[in-house]
Amino acid sequence: MAERIQAIRGMNDVLPETTALWRSIEHVFMSVLSSYGYQEIRFPLVESTQLFKRTIGEVTDIVEKEMYTFNDLNGDSITLRPEGTAGCVRACLQHGLLHNQQQKLWYLGPMFRHERPQKGRYRQFNQLGVEAFGMSGPMVELELISICRKFWEQLGFANCVQLQVNTLGELAERQRYKKILVEYLTDHEHQLDEDSKRRLTRNPLRILDSKNPEMQQLVANAPKLIDVLDEKSREHFQTFCEGLDALSVPYVVNPVLVRGLDYYGHTVFEWVTDKLGSQATVCAGGRYDLLVDQLGGNPTPAVGFALGIERIYLLMETLGLLKNETNKNALYIIAVNDEAVVRGLIISEIIRSAYPQIEVSVNTAGGSFKSQFKKADKSGARLALILGEDELATQQISIKDLRNGAEQISVDQNTINQVLKDYLE
Ligand code: ATP
Ligand code: MG
């Protein structure tokens, strides 16, 4: 036997038994977003490497060590998208969507990061991204938070996630803060891990984002960015926080929340859970007013968030919230021979045209009555419709309710849709 080829590590298959669950989660996202007037945008899974380097930042986890970057056959450097914001902005600029306009957009699909695979952390994973362009105040930020809260409510775990918020202020304020932070960290240089030492000169803010528990005390005692902000930035953040209060969204201010990408400024936020171990963040976002300009567009205020669908799935699984809908009206046609199968295919079309919502499976694989009944039962169907020798001879079809002990009955094939009316809920 030939050797089997396995999937690439950290890239998962979703098997038929769970696809309906994935779809039902995605359906919640999509219907909530359209109820808020957000529109879907689709863009490629692959972009020029330069797009991500220029936006995410050279000294970030993603660009330093997580990107799938290749040379294509023309020798051009291309990268599988590690996140969606850069591609979304690129597409909007390329098609003039940001020119004197506001946009409220979303996308859903796979992202790729070469990380160490573990529970809740994969090399191919799915994100839902939501981005709003052309609105500068904290009001649109409040709308994004409301959307998130609506997601959690509809999915049933609103009480298991906590909102953390922070502000990163303006670029000039961050630069001022960087000096103060570097001074503090240099004083404690002997406590820095290797990553942080490297970042000290190249991207000190990232040190606040360190996942290393040994760094956490040092980070907690560091001077706070919020303390060096000017009045205007503080006001922006205060209005945002007051809005959260007005909307009755509980939150905590986390002064070391900086996010792992360089393009953020002002409001940033994460939704975290204590149910998923160290992969605690299910959703993260913030304002990124400098990015559009950085990609060659006119300066355009922008804010967005992305959530990891696998983490949402895991969280819901942990909480016992994933339930396959039972097929309470499904029909299964049992057919004794090829002639009966053809008859069954014809009858199945007649049923589907009257009851388009109902699942009608035809057993096209033959087998004894006994084995076909077993399959019908296993499929979860409510009714078995039987076409045996007798039924073929008399142009009848038999109906057996698989979920109660009711007697099997036979009816004229022409009357099947009418008879089913009494059975189906
Ligand atoms: P983390 O701190 O967990 O590495 P991140 O800051 O790199 O997350 P973002 O780039 O903000 O994550 O992505 C937004 C969301 O996408 C995360 O909150 C998470 O839910 C999800 N996510 C990110 N990386 C992965 C991954 N490798 N596998 C599964 N989900 C992921
Ligand atoms: Mg990461």
Side-chain angles (χ1 to χ4, degrees):
M1 224 193 281
E3 192 191 333
R4 292 203 188 154
I5 297 171
Q6 303 289 317
I8 293 174
R9 209 162 100 81
M11 303 202 177
N12 301 315
D13 302 305
V14 176
L15 302 181
E17 64 204 35
T18 58
T19 44
L21 298 170
W22 288 94
R23 257 206 325 249
S24 68
I25 295 175
E26 289 163 2
H27 177 76
V28 167
F29 295 141
M30 294 182 202
S31 58
V32 167
L33 283 161
S34 77
S35 79
Y36 281 78
Y38 283 64
Q39 290 180 301
E40 184 183 12
I41 181 167
R42 299 187 182 192
F43 44 87
L45 272 61
V46 190
E47 301 271 1
S48 308
T49 302
Q50 214 40 44
L51 177 71
F52 302 114
K53 286 201 172 163
R54 218 153 100 189
T55 54
I56 296 168
E58 297 266 2
V59 193
T60 55
D61 278 349
I62 294 181
V63 172
E64 277 187 330
K65 51 190 185 199
E66 295 175 358
M67 294 210 300
Y68 279 91
T69 297
F70 312 90
N71 283 340
D72 74 1
L73 294 178
N74 302 327
D76 297 326
S77 181
I78 60 173
T79 294
L80 301 186
R81 62 183 191 189
E83 56 99 53
T85 306
C88 181
V89 172
R90 199 268 312 132
C92 286
L93 284 175
Q94 192 168 333
H95 301 283
L97 300 192
L98 302 182
H99 193 67
N100 293 332
Q101 294 170 70
Q102 296 173 339
Q103 297 287 347
K104 294 182 170 185
L105 304 174
W106 65 269
Y107 48 84
L108 189 159
M111 306 294 163
F112 303 84
R113 296 185 193 177
H114 197 274
E115 306 199 61
R116 191 171 68 78
Q118 52 198 291
K119 192 177 164 202
R121 195 175 289 287
Y122 311 101
R123 291 181 171 175
Q124 176 174 332
F125 60 99
N126 290 280
Q127 271 187 351
L128 169 75
V130 180
E131 319 281 0
F133 298 100
M135 289 151 277
S136 58
M139 295 305 130
V140 64
E141 297 161 14
L142 293 171
E143 180 173 75
L144 293 183
I145 300 290
S146 302
I147 292 176
C148 293
R149 177 174 59 173
K150 180 73 93 194
F151 288 158
W152 319 145
E153 281 171 2
Q154 302 242 316
L155 293 169
F157 59 78
N159 54 354
C160 295
V161 283
Q162 183 199 51
L163 175 63
Q164 299 192 352
V165 301
N166 192 25
T167 176
L168 303 180
E170 293 283 331
L171 186 60
E173 294 162 337
R174 285 196 293 286
Q175 275 159 353
R176 200 156 70 211
Y177 172 68
K178 265 181 203 168
K179 286 212 183 82
I180 299 168
L181 181 66
V182 169
E183 254 170 50
Y184 165 82
L185 292 171
T186 310
D187 285 347
H188 299 82
E189 204 168 346
H190 59 285
Q191 294 176 40
L192 296 179
D193 61 12
E194 283 311 306
D195 261 354
S196 304
K197 277 189 185 138
R198 201 164 34 83
R199 289 182 168 169
L200 190 56
T201 44
R202 297 185 65 196
N203 197 347
L205 271 188
R206 285 281 80 76
I207 297 175
L208 299 180
D209 196 36
S210 171
K211 299 264 164 26
N212 181 354
E214 283 166 28
M215 296 285 303
Q216 245 127 55
Q217 194 54 41
L218 187 66
V219 163
N221 294 332
K224 303 286 176 289
L225 200 160
I226 200 162
D227 294 331
V228 309
L229 295 185
D230 292 335
E231 193 52 32
K232 203 163 163 245
S233 293
R234 279 177 204 238
E235 248 173 49
H236 182 128
F237 188 55
Q238 200 186 335
T239 311
F240 172 69
C241 291
E242 284 167 7
L244 292 176
D245 292 330
L247 291 166
S248 309
V249 180
Y251 64 94
V252 295
V253 177
N254 174 359
V256 295
L257 181 65
V258 290
R259 310 281 305 108
L261 303 91
D262 273 358
Y263 49 62
Y264 287 105
H266 287 290
T267 311
V268 289
F269 60 87
E270 291 194 357
W271 292 87
V272 297
T273 175
D274 57 7
K275 306 273 188 285
L276 292 181
S278 51
Q279 273 54 257
T281 306
V282 294
C283 173
R287 182 164 281 287
Y288 55 93
D289 293 344
L290 302 179
L291 184 67
V292 177
D293 180 49
Q294 223 172 303
L295 284 178
N298 292 328
T300 305
V303 54
F305 67 81
L307 59 81
I309 301 187
E310 283 75 6
R311 290 192 194 172
I312 304 270
Y313 186 98
L314 277 173
L315 177 60
M316 292 181 67
E317 189 173 56
T318 308
L319 297 171
L321 295 171
L322 294 178
K323 284 186 196 75
N324 256 320
E325 292 277 311
T326 49
N327 253 337
K328 65 176 183 193
N329 273 330
L331 310 178
Y332 193 97
I333 300 186
I334 289 174
V336 70
N337 56 27
D338 283 356
E339 189 192 342
V341 172
V342 173
R343 202 66 232 142
L345 290 169
I346 294 167
I347 294 174
S348 76
E349 295 303 342
I350 293 169
I351 298 172
R352 284 188 203 99
S353 59
Y355 303 101
Q357 312 299 341
I358 283 177
E359 178 186 313
V360 189
S361 306
V362 182
N363 178 41
T364 50
S368 67
F369 271 129
K370 194 171 162 209
S371 73
Q372 292 197 50
F373 266 108
K374 259 196 195 146
K375 278 202 224 166
D377 192 46
K378 197 166 164 233
S379 78
R382 155 94 192 285
L383 300 179
L385 306 183
I386 304 129
L387 291 164
E389 305 276 4
D390 291 350
E391 285 86 353
L392 285 180
T394 56
Q395 310 222 336
Q396 293 205 309
I397 185 163
S398 299
I399 303 177
K400 170 85 184 146
D401 194 325
L402 298 169
R403 305 299 153 204
N404 66 26
E407 275 292 292
Q408 181 170 319
I409 60 158
S410 295
V411 302
D412 196 290
Q413 289 174 12
N414 292 327
T415 63
I416 187 69
N417 279 342
Q418 235 167 330
V419 176
L420 284 175
K421 215 183 277 170
D422 296 334
Y423 282 92
L424 301 176
E425 290 164 24

